[in-house]
Structure formats: structure tokens, C-alpha cells
Amino acid sequence: MSDRGCSHLNAITAVKQPQRRECGECVKIGSSWVHLRTCQQCGVTLCCDSSPNRHASKHANATGHPVIASAQPAERWLYCYPDDAFCEY
Ligand SMILES: [Zn+2]
Ligand SMILES: [Zn+2]
Ligand SMILES: [Zn+2]
């Protein structure tokens, strides 16, 4: 396997896809989002850092789940928050 930039990204063998195209946390509080990201540890889909609530980033910080995938249909990439590592798949 090629080196994707960090051990967290290298450990991803099957990329988790979003079960729902919405941020569950934003839906709860009646907020909106810009883009969606899917946690590669637990599979939850949350909003990106361009969104007002940055739920994916907060989730990564709070849980220690380091890697997200874009949940945008046309985008196929992974990102590791603690290592600031990015790769396409
Ligand atoms: Zn990493
Ligand atoms: Zn959100
Ligand atoms: Zn998670």
C-alpha cells in the first residue's frame, strides 16, 4: 500500500460512506451547514469547518476519532485532523 501521509490514513481499508446526507447535530439545533464529513471511526456524518458549527472538527477533538471522509457525492478524499494529512482514494 502507498504511504498516504500518516498512520491513521494508512489504516483505512474501507471508506465509510454517509448514511444520511445531513449533519445530525445541526438538525437537532435547527442550524445549517456548508459541506458534510463522515467520521471514519464511528460513521457519524457531521458538518465541515466552513460551516458555522464545525461539528466534524469538534467531534474529532472530543472523541479522538482522527479521520474524516468528504460526504460530498463528487468528492473522494480522506483527512486526518491531528496530522493535517490528506489523501484521495
Ligand atoms: Zn493521522
Ligand atoms: Zn453540524
Ligand atoms: Zn467518530
Side-chain angles (χ1 to χ4, degrees):
M1 185 196 285
S2 60
D3 183 7
R4 292 158 146 190
C6 78
S7 58
H8 304 112
L9 294 180
N10 286 334
I12 306 287
T13 53
V15 177
K16 287 185 171 64
Q17 299 297 327
Q19 293 177 354
R20 304 170 67 154
R21 302 247 180 227
E22 62 186 21
C23 173
E25 294 299 314
C26 282
V27 168
K28 264 187 227 166
I29 61 176
S31 189
S32 60
W33 56 87
V34 180
H35 297 118
L36 294 171
R37 309 292 181 236
T38 300
C39 175
Q40 292 303 295
Q41 197 116 350
C42 65
V44 70
T45 295
L46 297 165
C47 56
C48 72
D49 282 359
S50 301
S51 307
N53 299 297
R54 303 177 59 182
H55 282 128
S57 179
K58 284 180 189 161
H59 174 80
N61 278 325
T63 59
H65 295 169
V67 179
I68 49 148
S70 174
Q72 301 303 117
E75 296 180 3
R76 294 170 62 85
W77 52 259
L78 298 164
Y79 177 74
C80 175
Y81 281 107
D83 294 316
D84 192 24
F86 174 91
C87 73
E88 296 185 274
Y89 66 91

